[in-house]
Amino acid sequence: MFKTRIWGRDFNLKVVYDCYIGEEIIEEQKEALKEFVANRNLIESSKDTVEQYCLKKNKREIGSDKITNIFKYVIPESIFVKRDCRVAIMCRYKFDAEHGIAVVYKQGKLKEVGSQDIIL
């Protein structure tokens, strides 16, 4: 388990590395995770983009133009580190239990927010 703070709340998240059975975690994946964790501002600032994603997809169900508590809809569950060094916060999403939400970062930048299919 990995303790981190996401959007103002502490979480103990499992870290999952993209590796086949018998494959080693590559050094670049380890470095990508370290860089991601060190960039607190990047993680915190992505909350606005996640809120906008939720409002774009499910504004009617949310019933508002603004989200006051992101955790009513999105709960981080794990950190996923791809072989290409993208790092994603994998989240459960109230309105799409099957696909959830992935918040994807690479090289110190937010790349995209979408269903977990964008990184898996």
Side-chain angles (χ1 to χ4, degrees):
M1 296 304 261
F2 179 75
K3 186 173 179 145
T4 190
R5 189 165 192 78
I6 298 173
W7 311 323
R9 186 178 284 181
D10 291 329
F11 288 92
N12 285 313
L13 301 176
K14 181 178 175 183
V15 176
V16 178
Y17 289 93
D18 181 28
C19 293
Y20 290 109
I21 295 172
E23 248 182 351
E24 298 283 325
I25 298 167
I26 59 175
E27 196 59 38
E28 290 86 350
Q29 285 175 295
K30 294 176 188 176
E31 287 301 316
L33 180 62
K34 284 182 193 174
E35 179 183 302
F36 169 75
V37 170
N39 199 339
R40 303 289 330 133
N41 290 335
L42 175 65
I43 296 168
E44 293 305 315
S45 68
S46 66
K47 179 179 165 215
D48 292 337
T49 305
V50 174
E51 289 173 347
Q52 291 308 310
Y53 175 84
C54 294
L55 288 168
K56 181 179 176 188
K57 298 292 256 178
N58 299 97
K59 184 177 181 178
R60 187 171 44 91
E61 293 91 336
I62 292 168
S64 177
D65 289 337
K66 185 173 170 126
I67 294 176
T68 56
N69 180 2
I70 190 66
F71 300 113
K72 286 174 74 174
Y73 311 108
V74 179
I75 300 293
E77 293 189 312
S78 64
I79 305 292
F80 185 65
V81 185
K82 286 288 282 186
R83 300 279 291 175
D84 66 5
C85 299
R86 287 181 292 162
V87 179
I89 302 172
M90 305 297 271
C91 304
R92 188 171 58 239
Y93 184 42
K94 180 177 182 173
F95 302 111
D96 190 350
E98 184 178 344
H99 299 105
I101 289 178
V103 186
V104 182
Y105 309 85
K106 186 165 184 178
Q107 296 176 330
K109 295 182 179 154
L110 175 63
K111 288 297 184 188
E112 62 183 318
V113 175
S115 76
Q116 292 179 2
D117 297 338
I118 64 175
I119 189 106
L120 294 176

